[in-house]
Amino acid sequence: MQTMLLTLVGGAIAIVLVFLLLRLRGGDPKVGALAAAFPVVAAYTVWAATDWPGMDVYAMHLAVYFVTAYALAIIGLQQRKGRFRFHWGPALIVAFFGVVISVNAVFLTLANGGLGPEATAWLLPEPDSGAEVQSHFPGTVARDYQEKEELYNRYLERVEEQRERGWQVTQGFLDPPVAGQREAFQVKVTTRKGEPLDGATVSGKFLRPANKDLDVSFELQQVGPGLYRSDLRLPAPGRWDLAMTIERAGATHEVHARTRINDDS
């Protein structure tokens, strides 16, 4: 967020300085404002292309730069006419964009950094089982196939193939899972006829909806006919999502489920 603040304020200041230099040479203030804005926009576009910050951040920078140029053009025109005040129309436009930019800046700051601990405790309800509250958005999780139509169509095809294959899967912890403690997680896989499915590769992730940094990947080992098991430790209590795949001989079976981890207290 410090980088974003630097590029926003620094870019606006650069536009003002270039505009003032151009005004020393005279000329149309509108042309000077555009001439001052475009080099800054071009420089930021090149910089953003090397480390893309997202369309929302990029659009906010363009808005700040062009609103700054617009305000400078209006001021320059007023000075050329011997007046030093905004007409209410341009002033309203500048104020509108100022409010929009300020609100978006607040949203982006909260999404990336979250609220402070005191504000979080005051504004958000107390979580279950004493879990830590996260007020920022840490990023996306798995299962984002809906983003593109082609990927979604492939997903539907895999679902139909999976239904026709008829593998039966049951999974769960052998004992009630507790946060921070290793517990045996077991998966049983049988064919449509109820026969054990041996020689499969069983892997996946336990996904933490509130914080993807806590996600736990795993790969299970076969311990018996159709049985796959491994000891897993999930670091936080509360709800976890399970995304698991079972592969054998080119066939893939996907499982999505949900579980709850108990507090260690």
Side-chain angles (χ1 to χ4, degrees):
M1 296 312 297
Q2 292 179 348
T3 301
M4 187 177 75
L5 182 62
L6 179 63
T7 52
L8 283 172
V9 177
I13 292 175
I15 292 173
V16 173
L17 294 177
V18 174
F19 176 78
L20 292 177
L21 290 175
L22 294 176
R23 288 294 295 149
L24 293 176
R25 303 180 61 181
D28 190 338
K30 293 183 290 185
V31 176
L34 287 176
F38 276 113
V40 176
V41 171
Y44 176 72
T45 301
V46 172
W47 179 84
T50 61
D51 186 15
W52 184 243
M55 182 56 69
D56 51 354
V57 176
Y58 180 73
M60 180 183 297
H61 281 77
L62 294 189
V64 169
Y65 296 158
F66 283 119
V67 168
T68 301
Y70 177 77
L72 291 173
I74 296 300
I75 293 173
L77 290 173
Q78 295 295 321
Q79 288 179 336
R80 192 166 66 173
K81 295 177 181 179
R83 296 178 295 180
F84 298 93
R85 65 181 183 84
F86 264 2
H87 185 272
W88 68 267
L92 185 61
I93 294 175
V94 172
F96 169 77
F97 279 103
V99 171
V100 171
I101 292 169
S102 299
V103 172
N104 284 334
V106 171
F107 287 159
L108 284 173
T109 301
L110 294 179
N112 284 274
L115 299 169
E118 295 182 358
T120 300
W122 181 62
L123 291 174
L124 300 181
E126 184 176 353
D128 297 334
S129 304
E132 181 183 357
V133 176
Q134 299 287 340
S135 60
H136 69 286
F137 179 68
T140 58
V141 297
R143 299 164 59 186
D144 57 351
Y145 46 79
Q146 290 102 335
E147 291 183 358
K148 295 183 179 180
E149 182 177 359
E150 181 179 357
L151 292 179
Y152 184 58
N153 290 336
R154 292 178 183 175
Y155 167 77
L156 294 178
E157 293 174 0
R158 291 199 303 270
V159 169
E160 181 62 22
E161 292 174 357
Q162 182 169 305
R163 187 187 65 80
E164 294 177 354
R165 192 180 304 119
W167 290 356
Q168 304 299 315
V169 180
T170 56
Q171 72 280 335
F173 288 93
L174 297 185
D175 295 313
V178 177
Q181 298 183 14
R182 288 192 172 275
E183 303 290 350
F185 178 72
Q186 179 173 283
V187 175
K188 180 179 181 181
V189 189
T190 58
T191 65
R192 181 189 294 274
K193 298 179 180 180
E195 300 171 348
L197 186 73
D198 296 332
T201 300
V202 182
S203 60
K205 271 188 177 184
F206 277 98
L207 307 170
R208 182 68 171 180
N211 190 347
K212 72 171 185 177
D213 294 334
L214 298 181
D215 291 355
V216 175
S217 301
F218 63 84
E219 183 169 345
L220 306 184
Q221 305 299 322
Q222 185 168 359
V223 296
L227 293 178
Y228 302 83
R229 186 188 306 162
S230 183
D231 291 339
L232 303 180
R233 185 184 69 86
L234 300 185
R239 197 193 86 182
W240 288 79
D241 293 333
L242 170 65
M244 182 173 62
T245 59
I246 302 168
E247 298 177 297
R248 196 188 74 159
T252 300
H253 191 94
E254 296 183 0
V255 176
H256 300 292
R258 181 174 297 172
T259 189
R260 177 167 290 276
I261 304 301
N262 299 321
D263 197 350
D264 57 359
S265 58

